[in-house]
Amino acid sequence: MTGYDSEVFRGAYDDVLAKWPARHEALTVATPFGDTRVNACGPREAPALLLLPGGGPATSVSWYAQTAELARTRRIYAPDLIGAPGLSAPAADRHPRTVADLAAWLDALLDGLGVAGTDLGGHSYGAWIALHYALRAPSRVRRLFLLDPTQCFAGYRAAYLLHALPMLLRPSPRRVRAFLEWETGGGAALDPDWLTLQEAAAGFPSAKPVTEPRPSPEALRALDVPVLLLVAANSRTHDSREVAARAAAMLPHVETAILPDVSHHALPQAAPAALARRLTDFLSVR
């Protein structure tokens, strides 16, 4: 018994989505892996920016604190990951099992949106997907930003995995809240509506996420795409300085920065107010 309630989840999802700019819209894009829900905003004629959320219980709506500023100069597309919490509807007989499958899903998603090339960003597991996609399809990625990426440049801390284990083995709203409050240092800065959505996602009928080894140093050194790497100073997920140092040593076109006073799971919604402006400045360089 997971305690998952689809109506409660949908209500919490809509409460967070209401924090997006007023002129946002919901799109559905068919892919070989199922129908993908995409929340979109910004001028339709503006350059595309695809935003990938972290893994469960995160969803596309978590980008709400950044969308208003980013949508001034970009057409934002934020999909719910297939097989993860959100409003995407995975195919009954097929879900992504490999990085190649994830790349095929993103290819189909971009094709369905009519986007040939895009700026691309992701948080946590979404950053892992974004990096792998840029390595596989660099011709479709103009610029790439990675927000406290996991399993890209360094592994998880043992303490993080131990604290996450109860939530992963027997998910419940109480365990989700306890884990997030531990990782964020008490959760005082967390948006109550966002936190309610994370709790409501406990027990969501998700597929097993794709997990493969970190990209090889050789592949990273060959990536000819500008990258902005932003890591959380207070992250308990991994060693932030190690992540930044390894990325700087391997990526040929990378700018790195450590965001003060924020943890891994507080991103992106509790990020410093200047984050969206920093992203806009990076994405605007030609």
Side-chain angles (χ1 to χ4, degrees):
M1 181 70 175
T2 64
Y4 172 72
D5 186 314
S6 61
E7 292 186 5
V8 171
F9 174 83
R10 181 58 189 264
Y13 185 102
D14 288 344
D15 285 345
V16 178
L17 181 58
K19 300 173 186 290
W20 277 52
R23 299 185 65 180
H24 66 265
E25 59 184 309
L27 308 173
T28 300
V29 180
T31 78
F33 301 96
D35 291 342
T36 300
R37 163 65 177 256
V38 181
N39 292 306
C41 63
R44 289 182 174 82
E45 68 279 6
L49 169 58
L50 188 70
L51 298 175
L52 301 179
T59 67
S60 64
V61 298
S62 294
W63 292 102
Y64 68 88
Q66 317 303 323
T67 50
E69 180 66 30
L70 292 172
R72 292 165 61 89
T73 58
R74 292 291 181 277
R75 174 63 170 173
I76 293 175
Y77 298 106
D80 286 331
L81 301 180
I82 282 285
L87 302 186
S88 292
D93 58 347
R94 187 180 183 190
H95 62 83
R97 292 182 170 85
T98 65
V99 168
D101 287 342
L102 289 173
W105 169 65
L106 284 174
D107 277 336
L109 181 61
L110 291 175
D111 290 344
L113 291 169
V115 174
T118 185
D119 295 319
L120 178 62
H123 168 236
S124 189
Y125 178 60
W128 182 86
I129 297 173
L131 177 59
H132 276 285
Y133 186 69
L135 291 169
R136 287 176 171 265
S139 64
R140 300 197 78 164
V141 179
R142 292 189 297 262
R143 304 181 77 82
L144 173 69
F145 80 83
L146 307 174
L147 188 57
D148 215 49
T150 50
Q151 294 295 90
C152 291
F153 309 105
Y156 291 112
R157 294 182 189 269
Y160 178 83
L161 295 176
L162 286 173
H163 277 85
L165 194 59
M167 176 185 68
L168 297 174
L169 291 178
R170 295 185 63 187
S172 71
R174 179 181 60 82
R175 290 184 173 189
V176 168
R177 176 181 285 267
F179 173 73
L180 292 174
E181 289 183 344
W182 168 78
E183 200 282 326
T184 59
L190 296 181
D191 183 326
D193 291 329
W194 175 87
L195 186 56
T196 296
L197 176 57
Q198 309 315 293
E199 294 176 313
F204 188 95
S206 304
K208 182 180 178 181
V210 176
T211 56
E212 292 190 12
R214 295 195 294 270
S216 70
E218 294 76 20
L220 293 172
R221 293 188 182 106
L223 182 61
D224 191 23
V225 172
V227 180
L228 174 63
L229 172 70
L230 301 174
V231 293
N234 296 346
S235 176
R236 295 191 177 188
T237 306
H238 43 221
D239 185 321
S240 300
R241 295 188 181 279
E242 180 184 9
V243 170
R246 288 188 176 182
M250 289 184 285
L251 292 171
H253 310 292
V254 67
E255 173 187 348
T256 66
I258 296 178
L259 301 175
D261 305 319
V262 69
S263 74
H264 177 81
H265 285 282
L267 294 171
Q269 78 287 341
L275 175 61
R277 173 51 55 191
R278 180 162 198 157
L279 293 178
T280 298
D281 291 344
F282 167 73
L283 297 171
S284 298
V285 174
R286 289 290 176 251

